Amino acid sequence: MRYELDIYGVLVPALLLWLIIAYALSAVANRIMQRSGLYRLVWHRALFNFALYVCLLGVVVYLSEFLP
């Protein structure tokens, strides 16, 4: 796993990229859950969204190990 990414001469921490990707996936998942009505089954929406974001971040970081 690389810890820094070189984007046009600017070194960016890899975690920043993974955080942005996880946020985008979380936003899509939230929109899907809102439209399908699954939030009716959730007790605390903000806590659930945070837990979903952390889980998605873990998946993104895990899958980053397999990138060349």
Side-chain angles (χ1 to χ4, degrees):
M1 177 176 154
R2 294 187 219 154
Y3 295 104
E4 293 177 340
L5 300 172
D6 184 15
I7 300 176
Y8 297 111
V10 177
L11 292 176
V12 178
L15 183 60
L16 179 64
L17 179 63
W18 308 145
L19 288 169
I20 293 170
I21 292 171
Y23 180 75
L25 291 174
S26 177
V28 169
N30 287 338
R31 195 166 291 145
I32 290 171
M33 289 182 62
Q34 190 173 16
R35 287 188 180 180
S36 65
L38 289 175
Y39 274 127
R40 288 180 288 145
L41 304 173
V42 174
W43 171 66
H44 197 282
R45 185 174 178 173
L47 184 61
F48 180 80
N49 287 342
F50 179 69
L52 179 66
Y53 176 72
V54 170
C55 290
L56 287 173
L57 179 61
V59 168
V60 168
V61 171
Y62 177 74
L63 292 177
S64 71
E65 295 283 331
F66 302 109
L67 292 176

